Amino acid sequence: MTSSLNSGRHSGRDSGCDSGRDSGRDSSSQDFRDFLSAYRAAHPDDVLVIGDEVGADQDATAVVWQLAAQGRHPMLVFERVRGLGTPLVTNVFASRERVGRLLGVGAEGIHAEYQARSRRLVPPREVDNGPVLEVVQSEGIDLRTIPAIRHFATDRGPYITNAILIAQDPETGIGNASYHRSMVHSPSGIATSLHSRGHLWRMQQQAAVRGQPLPVAMVIGAHPLFMLAGAARLPYGVDERHVAGGLFGAPLEVVRTPRHGIAVPASAEIVLEGVIDPEARVDEGPFGEFTGYSSDRSTNNLLRVETILRRRDAMLIDVVGGNSAEHLNLGRIPRESEMVEKLKERFPSVTAVHYPSSGTHFHAYVALKPMRAGEARQVMLGLLGWDPYLKTVIAVDEDVDITRDEEVLWAVATHLQPHLDVVVVDGLPGSALDPSASGVGTTSRMGLDATRGPQFDGIRARIGDDAMARAARLLGDVLGRP
């Protein structure tokens, strides 16, 4: 396989990123292609370009999994995908360092920066034209021309994973943008699932009560900051397009779809405009979900596509499915950011919060310096109550590195007494995609207090700094490293 870290062939214009940790921060462009071009120039070691032809059936996912097994998570550009007719870009959010660069901070500063930016809501700005309007088709629609790949052998077929559905409540004008797994059902129909039962589900249910279809627009491929905004967790009535403006530091530039007038990113690659049929049910799933299992739990909704808007040379910007680092990071970072802010505001003793990839969206680790008995339990109950996905929270002392599973498990092994330090709450709403949850969608939640506690008897074994420095020098000499 021929590949390079920077082939020198850039897509789009060379603007929008500087060469430091603030890459992408000062960009005035909202075009994914400008982002990709500039990021490749600034961070060539973080982009893997594969020039050899690959298949559209699992090949991209297999490359991601092989790299992840080596501890590598570069952004991937597949220049030739058999049967696709367009380049494929994926794994954009697999690296927290890369997400930090999008926001102009290091990985450790993502939570605070995301919260600060996302709260500066900036309404979109409508423009007269944009690349997504290069081709507008309302007759002879054939969705088989829309690029899509199969991610897992257990998937029902090729899936559009980067499908952000935008809707506007016809009565209130409230807007919403959210991700929904989608697959081509027919030449003019998309099978999709609203299984998160979020705001789009609420809008669709209200439209169904009125006996009306819900107009929507599906955005397939846009700037990563818009994609990050699409994963935001917001109160009903707050529009993710306004959050995108906050993340950009400028209004999201939008154009209106021709039939329903829905505001979509002007620089998007592809937009499908249509309606969700309130009556139709179609087969959808299984699909490889964030749990690591292929799920056929679905609301089985049908999106009837009435208009296709696209660039002439639209590329496929994909989100890796399953329990990939990209899928987990994209879904988790906005939620983590909110939870960290809430916890630290309410509990100053909290020093760090981490959602481990090993726990998909269902586990969280909290480090704290307890000031009084029972505080760790209170912190855990707070997090279990605030985050609807969490099933297990483990609390540890501030000297435990919660980014390492083995450190947390060591704390559980040596600090926790099950009959004293475990709290379980039953009968709470859970994720519809949790394969262990009941058929009615309820789950139990557990807190494990692995802090040492006031009666703990033990001193952590430690090697002195001088001895560690001597060992490093010795090994450097023996192994021939500086």
Side-chain angles (χ1 to χ4, degrees):
M1 177 177 287
T2 302
S3 63
S4 67
L5 290 176
N6 188 353
S7 69
R9 293 170 53 196
H10 293 178
S11 300
R13 300 176 294 278
D14 288 321
S15 64
C17 282
D18 60 36
S19 59
R21 77 189 289 190
D22 291 345
S23 299
R25 184 178 185 180
D26 300 321
S27 172
S28 59
S29 173
Q30 297 180 9
D31 193 318
F32 181 89
R33 300 180 186 210
D34 290 342
F35 157 76
L36 175 61
S37 175
Y39 192 86
R40 287 174 62 177
H43 302 282
D45 59 340
D46 198 30
V47 181
L48 183 61
V49 180
I50 297 177
D52 281 7
E53 185 180 70
V54 299
D57 186 352
Q58 305 174 67
D59 285 7
T61 318
V63 170
V64 170
W65 250 250
Q66 291 278 0
L67 288 167
Q70 303 169 22
R72 301 177 62 196
H73 302 280
M75 181 159 54
L76 291 167
V77 180
F78 294 91
E79 294 186 317
R80 294 190 299 147
V81 183
R82 192 162 47 253
L84 219 58
T86 184
L88 163 66
V89 183
T90 193
N91 223 33
V92 175
F93 293 91
S95 159
R96 292 214 172 209
E97 288 73 18
R98 194 155 55 247
V99 176
R101 288 168 179 161
L102 270 170
L103 297 171
V105 297
E108 72 285 350
I110 287 174
H111 294 147
E113 184 67 15
Y114 175 85
Q115 281 299 94
R117 289 193 186 203
S118 64
R119 287 190 166 186
R120 294 194 291 267
L121 301 176
V122 180
R125 178 174 62 235
E126 189 171 347
V127 296
D128 294 332
N129 205 350
V132 76
L133 295 178
E134 288 177 355
V135 177
V136 179
Q137 181 183 6
S138 58
E139 301 290 339
I141 288 174
D142 186 353
L143 296 175
R144 291 170 295 187
T145 64
I146 300 299
I149 64 172
R150 187 188 189 109
H151 294 79
F152 300 96
T154 47
D155 287 354
R156 188 180 188 93
Y159 261 83
I160 303 167
T161 52
N162 188 9
I164 298 179
L165 281 171
I166 301 178
Q168 293 171 184
D169 189 302
E171 294 187 341
T172 65
I174 288 172
N176 179 74
S178 51
Y179 285 89
H180 298 275
R181 71 191 202 197
S182 301
M183 62 173 287
V184 173
H185 170 71
S186 67
S188 62
I190 293 281
T192 188
S193 181
L194 314 186
H195 52 254
S196 62
R197 301 300 198 277
H199 298 160
L200 182 62
W201 171 260
R202 177 174 173 175
M203 290 180 179
Q204 193 272 334
Q205 292 294 293
Q206 292 171 341
V209 168
R210 298 191 298 268
Q212 300 172 344
L214 179 67
V216 296
M218 177 184 290
V219 179
I220 308 172
H223 192 284
L225 289 178
F226 175 78
M227 293 171 63
L228 194 58
R233 298 282 173 169
L234 304 171
Y236 188 71
V238 180
D239 193 324
E240 285 80 0
R241 291 169 294 186
H242 294 217
V243 171
L247 296 179
F248 278 118
L252 176 68
E253 294 184 352
V254 298
V255 293
R256 298 281 179 178
T257 58
R259 185 180 294 263
H260 299 292
I262 299 172
V264 299
S267 297
E269 296 291 322
I270 301 169
V271 172
L272 307 179
E273 179 192 29
V275 295
I276 296 179
D277 189 319
E279 302 295 334
R281 293 293 178 268
V282 294
D283 290 336
E284 187 276 315
F287 170 74
E289 277 290 355
F290 67 85
T291 59
Y293 285 92
S294 288
S295 172
D296 58 4
R297 295 183 181 180
S298 176
T299 57
N300 302 109
N301 290 101
L302 176 65
L303 166 57
R304 298 191 187 279
V305 176
E306 300 164 325
T307 316
I308 298 176
L309 300 82
R310 61 183 296 169
R311 295 176 183 242
R312 289 190 181 88
D313 59 346
M315 68 169 62
L316 176 58
I317 304 168
D318 175 71
V319 173
V320 184
N323 57 340
S324 68
E326 171 164 59
H327 197 179
L328 294 175
N329 281 341
L330 183 56
R332 241 177 8 211
I333 284 173
R335 194 166 75 253
E336 282 179 17
S337 301
E338 180 189 7
M339 293 301 104
V340 169
E341 182 180 66
K342 280 178 175 289
L343 278 180
K344 289 189 173 182
E345 282 180 350
R346 177 63 181 82
F347 304 107
S349 59
V350 171
T351 59
V353 181
H354 178 63
Y355 284 59
S357 292
S358 59
T360 66
H361 292 327
F362 298 147
H363 288 183
Y365 303 153
V366 180
L368 70 157
K369 187 176 182 179
M371 305 301 292
R372 56 180 179 158
E375 189 170 7
R377 180 171 293 210
Q378 189 177 20
V379 167
M380 293 189 298
L381 288 173
L383 190 50
L384 288 168
W386 280 326
D387 191 330
Y389 275 75
L390 280 179
K391 291 196 297 184
T392 303
V393 174
I394 302 177
V396 298
D397 297 284
E398 62 177 336
D399 64 336
V400 176
D401 183 353
I402 59 174
T403 65
R404 298 175 60 199
D405 284 342
E406 61 268 30
E407 283 253 329
V408 175
L409 291 175
W410 169 80
V412 170
T414 58
H415 302 166
L416 181 141
Q417 282 292 312
H419 71 295
L420 298 175
D421 299 322
V422 177
V423 57
V424 176
V425 182
D426 197 4
L428 296 174
S431 169
L433 294 178
D434 179 0
S436 72
S438 70
V440 294
T442 59
T443 187
S444 57
R445 302 189 183 185
M446 177 172 64
L448 304 177
D449 182 359
T451 58
R452 294 183 179 90
Q455 306 301 318
F456 185 82
D457 182 17
I459 298 173
R460 188 168 184 177
R462 186 179 68 86
I463 301 172
D465 293 340
D466 290 345
M468 291 297 288
R470 289 195 299 273
R473 289 194 297 271
L474 174 63
L475 289 174
D477 292 341
V478 171
L479 298 176
R481 293 197 301 265

Coordinates of all heavy atoms in Angstrom, one line a residue, residues 121 167-178 197-207 210 214 232-240 243 338:
L121 N -23.2 32.1 22.1 CA -24.1 31.7 21.0 C -24.1 32.8 20.0 O -24.4 34.0 20.3 CB -25.5 31.5 21.5 CG -25.7 30.3 22.5 CD1 -27.1 30.2 23.0 CD2 -25.2 29.0 22.0
A167 N -33.5 20.4 11.7 CA -35.0 20.7 11.6 C -35.3 22.0 12.3 O -34.6 22.4 13.2 CB -35.7 19.5 12.2
Q168 N -36.4 22.5 11.9 CA -36.9 23.7 12.5 C -38.4 23.5 12.9 O -39.2 23.2 12.0 CB -36.8 24.9 11.6 CG -35.3 25.3 11.3 CD -35.1 26.3 10.3 OE1 -34.0 26.6 9.9 NE2 -36.2 26.9 9.7
D169 N -38.7 23.7 14.2 CA -40.1 23.5 14.6 C -41.0 24.5 13.9 O -40.8 25.8 14.0 CB -40.2 23.8 16.1 CG -41.5 23.4 16.7 OD1 -42.5 24.0 16.2 OD2 -41.6 22.6 17.6
P170 N -42.0 24.1 13.1 CA -42.8 25.0 12.3 C -43.6 25.9 13.1 O -44.0 27.0 12.6 CB -43.7 24.0 11.5 CG -43.7 22.8 12.3 CD -42.4 22.7 13.0
E171 N -43.9 25.6 14.4 CA -44.7 26.5 15.2 C -43.9 27.5 16.0 O -44.3 28.7 16.1 CB -45.6 25.7 16.2 CG -46.6 24.8 15.5 CD -47.5 24.1 16.5 OE1 -47.2 24.0 17.7 OE2 -48.6 23.7 16.1
T172 N -42.7 27.1 16.5 CA -41.9 28.0 17.4 C -40.7 28.5 16.7 O -40.1 29.5 17.1 CB -41.5 27.2 18.6 OG1 -40.6 26.2 18.2 CG2 -42.6 26.6 19.4
G173 N -40.3 27.9 15.6 CA -39.1 28.3 14.9 C -37.8 27.8 15.5 O -36.7 28.1 15.1
I174 N -38.0 27.0 16.6 CA -36.8 26.4 17.3 C -36.1 25.5 16.3 O -36.7 24.7 15.6 CB -37.2 25.6 18.5 CG1 -37.7 26.6 19.6 CG2 -36.1 24.7 19.0 CD1 -38.3 25.9 20.8
G175 N -34.7 25.6 16.3 CA -33.9 24.8 15.4 C -33.2 23.7 16.2 O -32.9 23.9 17.4
N176 N -32.8 22.7 15.5 CA -32.0 21.6 16.1 C -31.2 20.9 15.0 O -31.6 20.8 13.9 CB -33.0 20.6 16.7 CG -32.2 19.4 17.4 OD1 -31.6 19.6 18.4 ND2 -32.2 18.3 16.7
A177 N -30.0 20.5 15.5 CA -29.1 19.8 14.6 C -28.5 18.6 15.4 O -28.0 18.8 16.5 CB -28.0 20.6 14.0
S178 N -28.6 17.4 14.9 CA -28.1 16.2 15.6 C -27.8 15.1 14.7 O -28.3 15.0 13.6 CB -29.2 15.8 16.6 OG -30.4 15.6 16.0
R197 N -33.9 9.7 21.1 CA -35.1 10.3 21.7 C -34.9 11.7 22.1 O -35.3 12.2 23.2 CB -35.7 9.5 22.8 CG -36.0 8.0 22.5 CD -37.1 7.9 21.5 NE -37.8 6.6 21.5 CZ -37.3 5.5 20.9 NH1 -36.1 5.5 20.3 NH2 -38.0 4.4 20.9
G198 N -34.1 12.4 21.3 CA -33.7 13.8 21.6 C -34.7 14.8 21.1 O -35.9 14.5 20.8
H199 N -34.2 16.0 20.8 CA -35.0 17.1 20.3 C -35.6 16.8 19.0 O -36.7 17.3 18.7 CB -34.2 18.4 20.4 CG -33.7 18.7 21.7 ND1 -32.7 19.6 22.0 CD2 -34.1 18.3 23.0 CE1 -32.5 19.7 23.3 NE2 -33.3 18.9 23.9
L200 N -34.9 16.2 18.1 CA -35.5 15.9 16.7 C -36.6 14.9 16.9 O -37.7 15.1 16.2 CB -34.4 15.3 15.8 CG -34.9 15.0 14.4 CD1 -35.3 16.3 13.7 CD2 -33.8 14.3 13.6
W201 N -36.5 14.0 17.8 CA -37.6 13.0 18.0 C -38.8 13.8 18.6 O -39.9 13.6 18.1 CB -37.1 12.0 19.1 CG -38.2 11.1 19.6 CD1 -38.9 11.2 20.8 CD2 -38.8 9.9 19.0 NE1 -39.8 10.2 20.9 CE2 -39.8 9.4 19.8 CE3 -38.6 9.3 17.8 CZ2 -40.5 8.3 19.5 CZ3 -39.3 8.2 17.4 CH2 -40.3 7.7 18.3
R202 N -38.6 14.7 19.4 CA -39.7 15.6 20.0 C -40.4 16.3 18.9 O -41.6 16.4 18.8 CB -39.1 16.5 21.0 CG -40.1 17.5 21.7 CD -39.4 18.2 22.8 NE -40.3 19.3 23.3 CZ -40.0 20.1 24.4 NH1 -38.8 19.9 25.0 NH2 -40.8 21.0 24.8
M203 N -39.6 17.0 18.0 CA -40.2 17.7 16.9 C -41.0 16.8 16.0 O -42.0 17.1 15.5 CB -39.1 18.4 16.1 CG -38.4 19.5 16.8 SD -37.1 20.3 15.7 CE -36.5 21.6 16.8
Q204 N -40.4 15.6 15.7 CA -41.1 14.6 14.8 C -42.4 14.2 15.4 O -43.4 14.0 14.7 CB -40.1 13.5 14.5 CG -40.6 12.6 13.4 CD -41.5 11.5 13.8 OE1 -41.5 11.0 15.0 NE2 -42.4 11.0 12.9
Q205 N -42.4 13.9 16.7 CA -43.6 13.5 17.4 C -44.7 14.6 17.4 O -45.9 14.3 17.2 CB -43.3 13.1 18.8 CG -42.4 11.8 19.0 CD -43.1 10.6 18.5 OE1 -44.1 10.1 19.0 NE2 -42.6 10.0 17.4
Q206 N -44.3 15.8 17.6 CA -45.2 16.9 17.5 C -45.8 17.1 16.1 O -47.0 17.3 16.0 CB -44.5 18.2 18.0 CG -44.2 18.2 19.5 CD -43.3 19.4 19.8 OE1 -42.7 20.0 19.0 NE2 -43.2 19.7 21.1
A207 N -44.9 16.9 15.1 CA -45.4 17.0 13.7 C -46.4 15.9 13.4 O -47.4 16.1 12.7 CB -44.3 17.0 12.7
R210 N -49.8 16.5 14.6 CA -50.6 17.4 13.7 C -50.9 16.7 12.3 O -51.5 17.3 11.5 CB -49.7 18.6 13.4 CG -49.5 19.5 14.7 CD -48.9 20.8 14.3 NE -47.6 20.7 13.6 CZ -46.4 20.7 14.2 NH1 -46.3 20.8 15.6 NH2 -45.3 20.6 13.6
L214 N -42.3 16.1 8.9 CA -41.3 17.1 9.5 C -40.3 17.4 8.4 O -39.5 16.5 8.0 CB -40.7 16.6 10.7 CG -39.6 17.5 11.4 CD1 -40.3 18.7 11.9 CD2 -38.9 16.7 12.5
A232 N -23.4 18.6 20.3 CA -23.6 19.3 21.6 C -24.9 18.8 22.3 O -25.8 18.4 21.7 CB -23.8 20.8 21.3
R233 N -24.8 18.9 23.6 CA -26.0 18.6 24.4 C -26.6 19.9 25.0 O -26.0 20.5 25.8 CB -25.6 17.7 25.6 CG -25.0 16.3 25.1 CD -26.1 15.4 24.7 NE -25.5 14.2 24.1 CZ -26.2 13.1 23.8 NH1 -27.5 13.1 24.1 NH2 -25.6 12.0 23.3
L234 N -27.8 20.2 24.5 CA -28.3 21.5 24.8 C -29.8 21.4 25.3 O -30.4 20.5 25.0 CB -28.3 22.4 23.5 CG -27.0 22.5 22.7 CD1 -27.2 23.2 21.4 CD2 -26.0 23.3 23.6
P235 N -30.2 22.5 26.0 CA -31.6 22.5 26.3 C -32.5 22.7 25.1 O -32.0 23.3 24.1 CB -31.7 23.8 27.2 CG -30.3 24.1 27.6 CD -29.5 23.6 26.5
Y236 N -33.7 22.2 25.1 CA -34.6 22.4 24.0 C -34.8 23.9 23.7 O -35.1 24.7 24.7 CB -35.9 21.7 24.2 CG -36.9 21.7 23.0 CD1 -36.6 20.9 21.9 CD2 -38.0 22.5 23.0 CE1 -37.4 20.8 20.8 CE2 -38.8 22.5 21.8 CZ -38.5 21.6 20.8 OH -39.4 21.6 19.7
G237 N -34.6 24.3 22.5 CA -34.7 25.7 22.2 C -33.4 26.4 21.9 O -33.4 27.5 21.3
V238 N -32.3 25.7 22.2 CA -31.0 26.3 21.9 C -30.5 25.6 20.6 O -30.5 24.3 20.5 CB -30.0 26.1 23.0 CG1 -28.6 26.6 22.6 CG2 -30.5 26.7 24.3
D239 N -30.2 26.3 19.6 CA -29.9 25.8 18.3 C -28.4 25.5 18.1 O -27.5 26.4 18.4 CB -30.3 26.9 17.3 CG -30.4 26.4 15.8 OD1 -29.5 25.5 15.5 OD2 -31.2 26.8 15.1
E240 N -28.0 24.3 17.7 CA -26.6 23.9 17.5 C -26.0 24.8 16.5 O -24.7 24.9 16.5 CB -26.6 22.5 17.1 CG -26.8 21.5 18.2 CD -28.2 21.2 18.6 OE1 -29.1 21.9 17.9 OE2 -28.5 20.4 19.5
V243 N -24.4 27.4 18.3 CA -23.2 26.9 19.0 C -22.0 26.9 18.0 O -20.9 27.2 18.4 CB -23.4 25.5 19.6 CG1 -22.2 24.9 20.1 CG2 -24.5 25.6 20.7
E338 N -19.5 19.7 29.7 CA -20.6 20.2 30.5 C -20.5 19.6 31.9 O -20.6 20.2 32.9 CB -21.9 19.9 29.9 CG -23.1 20.3 30.8 CD -24.4 19.8 30.2 OE1 -24.4 19.0 29.3 OE2 -25.5 20.2 30.8

